[in-house]
Amino acid sequence: MRVVLGLLWLLLGLCGSGAQGEGGGLDEVGAVEESTEQTISDIWAEVRALRDMVVELKVELRNMEARVKESESQVNELKTELMVTKVQMELLQRENSVQATQLISLETRLTATESKTSDLEKQNADLQSRLSTSESELLVSKSRIDQLERENEEKPKVAFYTALTNSKNVGPYNTDITLKFSKVFTNIGNAYNPATGFFTAPVKGVYYLQFTAFGHQAFAFGITVYKNNQCIMYNADWHSNESDEFLTNSLVLELIAGDEIHLVLPSGHSIYDNVNNFSTFSGALLFPL
């Protein structure tokens, strides 16, 4: 724009100088020439200024082009970043959708777990209650066991088992004799006396008593059972051919403390025993009364 204005200004100057020449004569010619030279000088100065301005404008244009290219590059980078951001946003949205689905699944599992936990807590409470009941029952059972053990310790223990003799035949005699079972194998409570042949009840109770008699080639063999001085059982057998035979019987008696039981060999009867313990006498306290 400054170049155009300079050219217009130059043309106007030339036109003005031509008009003055027609009316002024030769004196004015010199003035015009001087003015023309000055004008040309000014024009060149203006041209040089314009050239410098053009150079500056070219430099500025190149700078602007470089800045435009830089801006375009930045725009492209921004577009690229925008695309990357958009892709990332889409990925994040998909991930968010997946996470939302997972969250729903976790919430469902959490609800199920809470339900199971509640059921387990109820079962645990029930088990605790049952355990407490079992512990109470166990304590009661232990107390009863302790009581039974104490009662069992306090309960009298009576049991004996004896055999008659190693002397083989005993009898027959002309009178009744008390049999003394001298071989004592068991005598818990020491209620049987082998020196007398008497069993003495230590406490009131129910007693079980048993005897076995063996007859070896005897015409008559047998046993009479006495409670104190009372005959309560008589067992005997007779054989004309003098054969061997066993005789066994038992009794359940209610006795009071001090009652005595003994076995008697009747007169005219015999009984046999040796190391094989054919003839025996035994008994035990079933329970006290």
Side-chain angles (χ1 to χ4, degrees), residues 22-41:
E22 291 179 358
L26 293 176
D27 291 332
E28 292 179 355
V29 171
V32 170
E33 289 179 356
E34 290 179 1
S35 177
T36 300
E37 290 178 359
Q38 182 63 38
T39 300
I40 291 173
S41 176

Side-chain angles (χ1 to χ4, degrees), residues 161-170 181-183 185 212-216 244 246 271-280:
Y161 170 67
T162 64
L164 185 59
T165 181
N166 290 333
S167 301
K168 299 181 180 179
N169 277 313
V170 177
F181 290 80
S182 59
K183 296 185 288 183
F185 299 100
T212 297
F214 178 63
H216 176 60
D244 296 337
F246 281 97
I271 191 171
Y272 182 91
D273 197 12
N274 60 20
V275 294
N276 292 317
N277 304 316
F278 293 121
S279 298
T280 61

